[in-house]
Amino acid sequence: MRAYRAKVVEPISLPDREERVANLEKAGYNVFNLDSDDVFIDLLTDSGTGTMSQDQWAAMMRGDEAYAGSDSFERLRESVADVMGFKNVVPAHQGRGAENVLYGVLVSKGDYVPNNTHFDTTRAHVVNNGGDPIDCPTDAAEDDPFKGNLDPEKVRELADDVGAENVPALVVTVTNNSMAGQPVSVENVREARDVADELDATFVIDACRFAENAYFVQQREEEFAESSVAAIAREQLSYADAIVMSGKKDALSNIGGFVGVCDGNLFERAKQRGILFEGFSTYGGLAGRDLEAMAVGLREAVTQEYIESRVEQVRELGDLLRDVGVPIYTPTGGHAVYVDAEAYLPEIPREQFPGQVLVGELYREGGVRAVELGEFAFPDEDRPQLARLCLPRRSYFRDHLEHVAETFEKVSARRGELAGLEVVEEPPMKELRHFSARLEPVA
Ligand code: F0G
């Protein structure tokens, strides 16, 4: 049961079929190019798309015109210290700004950066600083409750191969977005801490979805069955030297991010780079109201009422899709349902982007926008061909989820007729291809 009700509403409408077909063609079969007004149920991302609470809106009104020594920043700093345990904070305009600040300080040419699995922007920032991003996911058994975990042995092997001195940082992403939003256990984070110590590497947690992860820990890791989500979140993050955060996820805000650091020296270096790229160290490219929204949102994110209804709604969508025969990654992740597009569209070869074909069809049949996370988003990487349906926080209702399931049924009915896609136009940086490339159906 959701422990809130709607207070502000945004009208949405389903364009008719002809318009949807034309819109998709005009967008070059890339849903990033669609106008959001032309989308009925927008499951592209959970990033900055959620509904804020009345307390967040009220706090925004007291946001100052932030620059040096802003009060709003002070309230964010206190909230980060209370909720996440980091007393030094470098604010940034969003998560990738925080990544640029931190990885710009930690990573140099020739370095290797292991991560349970890199998210696309993380990978791009490591590459941009001359580093080589290396995914080290666990080879999880089917019934493993923590399929998002890092494999510490893979990190040790990497360090043996390339030399520990070339591994400046070890990153753990919670939940593991590129691995179907699966959680990471506290035990695994403790192991990662040990490995980082062995290698003398800085241990970073990408904390974007730290509250969702903490809820899974409460439900699945025996040691924490009686702990509050707030206490688990603090404990899990306490093992890291630094965190990168997108406020657009578990700070329940529409914009914002930050780096949290323990060590004073690393903090100083990050702060200087923050000033260079993001803005002075008490606003980081944000207005005071944005800092306030994050300060309040972080505290709400770790309440049991909120986090339970959040993660359980995502599971509800997963269950509805399973009921209509859609092969989803199980168990359902924390922020999104991931569909195995290769299993769903077995006739379409990987090079013709089965995930992207499915994403296009969901729009065509029901005005639903999802995102591909397979060969199109991650070219030439041997990984599962997934389409992600991501739920914005506190925004949609059960009938919207049912519409998504009905849309899948319509796509399923036409499955045999669908053609693959080919890229006809793409930007120079391959890590960013899926944001703007254009495609066409294969003749
Ligand atoms: N790290 C992770 C794990 C993310 O999922 C994201 C964003 C970022 C960093 C970057 O944060 O968007 O605020 O710059 N993920 C969004 C998504 C975009 O749709 O999954 P940002």
Side-chain angles (χ1 to χ4, degrees):
M1 181 78 76
R2 270 160 254 310
Y4 51 82
R5 66 186 191 90
K7 185 161 180 167
V8 177
V9 294
E10 177 186 352
I12 53 173
S13 63
L14 178 63
D16 62 33
R17 194 167 205 286
E18 249 168 55
E19 281 176 79
R20 299 194 305 264
V21 171
N23 291 339
L24 190 62
E25 204 172 311
K26 195 170 134 230
Y29 297 85
N30 182 347
V31 293
F32 278 99
N33 297 330
L34 287 171
D35 290 343
S36 59
D37 277 356
D38 291 331
V39 175
F40 185 43
I41 309 289
D42 204 343
L43 307 185
L44 180 70
T45 180
D46 63 330
S47 183
T49 53
T51 301
M52 289 205 296
S53 68
Q54 60 184 1
D55 286 352
Q56 285 179 291
W57 283 108
M60 284 177 84
M61 289 306 293
R62 75 168 176 242
D64 54 19
E65 309 310 319
Y67 203 111
S70 136
D71 275 356
S72 299
F73 175 69
E74 192 48 35
R75 280 187 283 275
L76 173 64
R77 210 186 54 73
E78 276 170 22
S79 177
V80 175
D82 290 349
V83 177
M84 307 177 92
F86 288 80
K87 63 180 197 306
N88 298 314
V89 176
V90 181
H93 75 283
Q94 62 180 85
R96 65 202 70 181
E99 292 179 327
N100 178 35
V101 167
L102 188 66
Y103 299 126
V105 168
L106 291 176
V107 181
S108 332
K109 196 167 176 334
D111 284 342
Y112 294 82
V113 178
N115 192 320
N116 46 348
T117 318
H118 286 82
F119 182 65
D120 56 10
T121 59
T122 319
R123 171 172 294 278
H125 277 294
V126 169
V127 169
N128 197 42
N129 284 292
D132 200 346
I134 309 287
D135 289 341
C136 300
T138 179
D139 299 315
E142 185 46 41
D143 61 350
D144 190 331
F146 291 101
K147 291 181 177 166
N149 278 355
L150 171 90
D151 184 339
E153 282 316 309
K154 289 185 188 156
V155 180
R156 290 192 178 98
E157 281 162 26
L158 169 73
D160 283 347
D161 281 357
V162 303
E165 67 284 6
N166 296 315
V167 183
L170 163 62
V171 187
V172 170
T173 305
V174 304
T175 54
N176 190 338
N177 190 4
S178 304
M179 193 50 76
Q182 299 295 308
V184 174
S185 66
V186 172
E187 192 194 345
N188 190 245
V189 163
R190 289 178 184 142
E191 286 169 0
R193 169 77 265 171
D194 290 344
V195 180
D197 286 341
E198 287 162 33
L199 308 183
D200 199 19
T202 301
F203 178 29
V204 180
I205 293 185
D206 179 328
C208 290
R209 300 181 179 84
F210 76 103
E212 290 164 9
N213 199 81
Y215 175 72
F216 282 119
V217 167
Q218 185 191 53
Q219 301 303 307
R220 297 181 187 175
E221 197 167 355
E222 217 180 319
E223 181 186 339
F224 296 97
E226 302 302 322
S227 308
S228 68
V229 167
I232 295 166
R234 270 194 69 118
E235 158 114 25
Q236 186 153 37
L237 300 178
S238 73
Y239 296 100
D241 298 309
I243 51 172
V244 275
M245 179 69 188
S246 166
K248 303 169 75 172
K249 282 83 170 177
D250 278 352
L252 313 187
S253 300
N254 298 134
I255 195 69
F258 53 86
V259 174
V261 200
C262 295
D263 175 69
N265 184 19
L266 180 59
F267 172 54
E268 272 314 313
R269 286 158 60 214
K271 194 164 125 181
Q272 295 310 316
R273 191 167 163 93
I275 295 172
L276 184 60
F277 286 100
E278 296 292 314
F280 189 68
S281 53
T282 57
Y283 74 88
L286 299 167
R289 54 182 174 272
D290 306 320
L291 302 167
E292 299 275 1
M294 283 199 286
V296 175
L298 280 176
R299 295 184 194 276
E300 290 177 359
V302 290
T303 60
Q304 190 73 25
E305 309 79 78
Y306 160 73
I307 197 66
E308 190 171 306
S309 62
R310 159 67 176 162
V311 176
E312 295 303 325
Q313 189 184 35
V314 178
R315 193 172 58 88
E316 194 180 335
L317 176 60
D319 291 349
L320 284 168
L321 298 190
R322 240 184 337 181
D323 289 349
V324 296
V326 179
I328 66 167
Y329 192 98
T330 56
T332 301
H335 65 298
V337 178
Y338 292 69
V339 177
D340 178 347
E342 259 176 332
Y344 188 71
L345 299 174
E347 262 127 70
I348 299 186
R350 199 169 258 236
E351 319 76 71
Q352 295 181 12
F353 314 119
Q356 189 66 6
V357 172
L358 171 58
V359 166
E361 289 308 306
L362 290 172
Y363 179 72
R364 197 201 311 262
E365 294 300 332
V368 174
R369 177 156 66 173
V371 70
E372 194 260 12
L373 292 176
E375 187 59 30
F376 181 49
F378 302 104
D380 308 323
E381 279 173 44
D382 185 25
R383 55 161 86 208
Q385 301 303 301
L386 301 172
R388 184 186 77 172
L389 298 117
C390 212
L391 273 184
R393 296 171 178 78
R394 303 189 285 209
S395 299
Y396 286 113
F397 300 102
R398 167 103 188 169
D399 52 353
H400 296 123
L401 309 188
E402 286 168 354
H403 173 84
V404 177
E406 285 156 20
T407 301
F408 262 99
E409 286 185 287
K410 289 183 186 151
V411 177
S412 298
R414 297 185 46 239
R415 238 187 284 199
E417 308 159 22
L418 303 178
L421 291 165
E422 62 184 331
V423 173
V424 291
E425 223 180 278
E426 60 187 323
M429 193 170 179
K430 103 176 167 181
E431 284 78 13
L432 302 178
R433 166 165 91 174
H434 58 300
F435 293 118
S436 47
R438 298 179 67 81
L439 305 104
E440 266 173 22
V442 177

